[in-house]
Amino acid sequence: MTTPPTVPANESSAAIAASGADRDRRAVYQARGITKIYHMGEVDVHALRGVDLDLYEGEFVVLLGPSGSGKSTLLNILGGLDVPTEGTVNYRGRDLMKDDDALLTGYRRDHVGFVFQFYNLIPSLTARENVALVTEIARDPMKPEAALQLVNMDHRLDHFPAQLSGGEQQRVAIARAISKRPDVLLCDEPTGALDINTGIVVLEAIERVNRELGTTTAVITHNAAIAEMADRVISVADGRISSVRRTAHKLPPQELRW
Amino acid sequence: MKAIDRKLVRDAIHMWGQLLAICAVIACGVATFVMSLSALEALRTTQATYYDQYRFADAFVGLKRAPNSLEPRLAEIPGVAHVQTRVVRDVTLDLPDLDEPAAGRLISIPENGEISLNALHLRSGRYIELGRDDEVLASEGFADAHHLHPGDKVTAIINGRRKDLRIVGTALSPEYVYTIRWGALVPDDKRFGVFWMGRRALAAAFNMEGAFNDVTVDLAPGADEQEVVERLDDLVRPYGGLGAHGRRDQISNRFLSDEIRQLQRMGTIIPSIFLSVAAFLLNVVLSRIIALQRDQIAALKAFGYSNLAVGMHYLKLVLVVAFVGVILGSCVGYWLGLRITEMYTRFYKFPMLYFAIPPKVALMALGASSLAAIAGTINVIRRAVNLPQAEAMRPEPPAAYRPTLLERIGLAEWFTQPSRMVLRHIERRPLKAFLSAFGMALAVAILMLGRFTADSLDYLLDAQFMLSQRQDMSVNFLEPTSMSGFHDLQHVVGAMYVEPRRMVPVRLRNGHLQRRTMIQGVIDNPQLNHLVDENLDAIPLPKEGIVLNSKLAELLEVKTGDTVSVEVLEGSRAVREVPVTGLATEFLGTFCYMNFQAINRLLGEGDSLTEAYLKVDDNRLDELYRRLKEAPRVASVTIKKTSIRSFRETVMENMLQMQFFNVMFACVIAFGVVYNTARIALSERGRELASLRVLGLTRGEISFILLGELAVLTLVALPLGIGMGWLLVRVVCMFLDTEMYRIPFVVAPATYGFSASVVIVAAILSGLVVRRRLDHLDLIAVLKTRE
Ligand SMILES: Nc1ncnc2c1ncn2[C@@H]1O[C@H](COP(=O)(O)OP(=O)(O)O)[C@@H](O)[C@H]1O
Ligand SMILES: [Mg+2]
């Protein structure tokens, strides 16, 4: 396996933005100087310490880093679930920091699809209904059945979460996230709770959505193996971006091993 | 149906037991509220309408005898709209179905039927006919008590002669909604009846032709009652006036108005407490049920559901539950309110009854319940929304347990591992544990609140009729009688011991404060009458001065050592300053006491009595009654047993009925609360317990952990609840203090026991339900999702 060129972490944002072929692609996200501090009584936890980050149209990015490095915090800020202590996030020319809660809600509703580590399906709704929950408030959704077909879950339409395996639940969660045809798909450790084979099935589903729908996709993981399927791998450590590398050869999920 | 609504329906179905319990709690809170307030409103409206339609007079005065020529002068008093003069006389009745004599009051009515004030409502038969001197209308209560119908006769002793009065009809009067004699504590339809008779016939029988001895007047709008009363008093004083008064001192009205006031307090405070408790529990339970869905709330938010949409989602559930509870409670409350009101009308006699749920009552109930529900929901939603999303999506972080205080102080070896888990869990979430225990404690408290009235009334009956009044019966004379009447009584067969009493109607004044009442003249060292202090210890009645019961003293704002102005409302109409020499505790009425000789001195008469208290030989009652019937001066007898029974059947039965409903509701609330507490504990800890099962703990062991927690909470709740109940009862007693009667602060051991037992039984039954669920915990589901 070839070692891809890496960009040192201390380089300026301009350097990141200007590096290589990224220059002529349109940035979906431009995050600058993101800091997030949690006040925990006496101590301040610096979850993010000044992160600059661009995500581009249609790319598949993996955010790689050890547990506690700030990945989820970063993703949640991009997704409008959380606000940074300092810094700006620009989504397609729109300054998310200026949005109030209602605008952020609208932003999430119209543009973002989330996939969570613990699936977070509504236990009282079937697979189809869990997806419908989102399609009903979306502007231009797919049919729930179509979304479930994309993740190969069309044979379990009327099953309740409790009747599904972990991998199946996560695929329903992905269907739910993509059913509204989001512009970006943000996945926080989607395979974290899954075994390797199931994890691969889930990753295939995500990869297919990225490929077929052109959805800009960011996947968080602490599993370096998964990074091989990304266009770019952004490594996070201790609240900072430690490196960004472009994968020379994207591997299809089936070929990942860990 | 939208997916999100489908979720709502499924959630509701899933939690049906808990929601039903919440619904029941609200329904019960609302039911007591609606029951009491609708009964209150019904009595109030009915009273007002009755008084208005039947032109109940505004001021009243009795006198000895005045010529009809005085009437125009009375009508000229500024502020008087209408005057009605009458002849009113009390007589003794000889009834075939009663061994003892009974009292009757004859009231004149115009033969032409045009009664200007205090109009009669004919209930059966017909009005009296012109020129017939023996026709009367009888008060309905009396007629019913004796099964008398139009056409039947009663015998009255008029001026020593027996006269048959023929009942041609029965009637109700706004003056006698509560048909009770002055000085009596309870009505007695068998021994007191009112009869309306043609003015001419009545005047002829009592030598009152061209004269009257009773005046009632109606005030013009805006007139000053006090002023009219004073002018009236001045005008009739030369004719033996007995002191004019307004409606407040009209006996029937006073009882009715006091009852309404009592009901207003009782019917507001207890149900308000019930409703608040229900609302509080609703709030706690809902916030915890919803809190269990915090990850779902977070997910909905992440998909782009707004705070409002998520809030509405849960509000819908909560409001449906609250709404169903309110509707159910209102219906039950309406029905019970009607029953309570009908019970009232058994001794408060109205020709009509206006019963409806006042819209404001229903709205208040709805408002309180919805508000509590909304507050509980908003609270959780706000917390869930404020929780950083990332955190809300995660399963709750592992709880920070630590050794409990008991373990830390070195008692660890006393506890088994599961017991430690129980204690640690409680100690880790002290607020949650406290709220659960507090909820159950509230249940105990309202059970006590619902039930204590019976204890108080028993105590009251004991104090009033066993301790204070020890006679078997009292004999009432038609008019003040010389001591020879007393000596005659002493020799009547069957009378074992006799004590004379002098009852004097008076007006007591202290500055601008005044009250009409009766002074009871009691002999030295009475055997049959004891005054008591607040501990029910006997206190002496000094030879001089006046002893007031503490309620009267409070109303007049006097204390021992002050003086009150006593205006005698009969005979000489003497006015004297009398020192207050003591205060007595009494739970009924507003009476006062003086030494027998002292009161007679104050009256400026030789010793005379109006009543005698008797101890009797039960074996010779027949003969005693026969002799009393023959005695010309005896008007009637009041038998203590009958008074007690009457008290039980009226005041007490009504309160007990209300209490029964309240206790029932308190039980439902208690069950609702305890059940929910148990179920919430189960939902909050089901996963943990299932994991323990997976680790190899037996069903019994995990049940012990959960049920042990419930048991500990119950144990904490019981003393807490008893303390709170004690306080609540105390406060309520203070509120229920009226002129008519006071509710002594008494909680019998049985009430403590009952309240605690209900909650314990509820805990055991809820525990059994939870235990059954624990036996069917889905271990696989636990392993599959999260963690
Ligand atoms: N709500 C919070 N309050 C306090 N500290 C937090 C909170 N959320 C995250 N953190 C801390 O911020 C750091 C980064 O967390 P996170 O972004 O979840 O890391 P990752 O997803 O990379 O494992 C960690 O040290 C974590 O403990
Ligand atoms: Mg994370």
Side-chain angles (χ1 to χ4, degrees), chain A residues 15 18 24 26 28 37 42 55 66 80 95 98 100 140 150 166 169 180 192 201 226 233 258:
Chain A
D24 30 80
R26 264 180 58 204
V28 179
I37 302 172
E42 301 286 282
L55 292 187
D95 185 354
K98 291 218 176 81
D100 60 11
D140 173 30
L150 263 180
Q169 289 186 54
K180 66 167 127 178
V201 175
I226 293 177
V233 181
W258 68 79

Side-chain angles (χ1 to χ4, degrees), chain A residues 76 81 101 105 108-109 114 116 118 120 122-125 129 133-134 136-137 160 162 164 169 176 180, chain B residues 2-4 6-7 10-11 295-296 299-307 389-390 393 395 784-786:
Chain A
N76 288 335
L81 285 175
D101 187 69
T105 300
R108 289 198 301 268
R109 174 188 297 215
F114 280 105
F116 308 102
F118 300 110
N120 290 81
I122 304 295
S124 52
L125 295 180
E129 288 160 356
L133 194 61
V134 170
E136 277 165 5
I137 59 167
F160 284 94
L164 298 174
Q169 289 186 54
R176 188 173 62 175
K180 66 167 127 178
Chain B
K2 285 195 150 190
I4 190 159
R6 205 165 285 167
K7 161 177 170 353
R10 299 237 174 91
D11 285 348
D295 56 327
Q296 298 185 32
L300 288 173
K301 287 273 301 160
F303 305 148
Y305 280 87
S306 63
N307 288 345
Q389 288 287 339
M393 311 291 297
K784 206 156 51 178
T785 57
R786 320 218 299 198

Side-chain angles (χ1 to χ4, degrees), chain A residues 67-68 71-73 117 188-189 220, chain B residues 394:
Chain A
S67 184
K71 307 181 298 289
S72 295
T73 307
Q117 179 176 1
D188 191 347
E189 312 239 12
I220 284 183
Chain B
R394 266 183 227 137

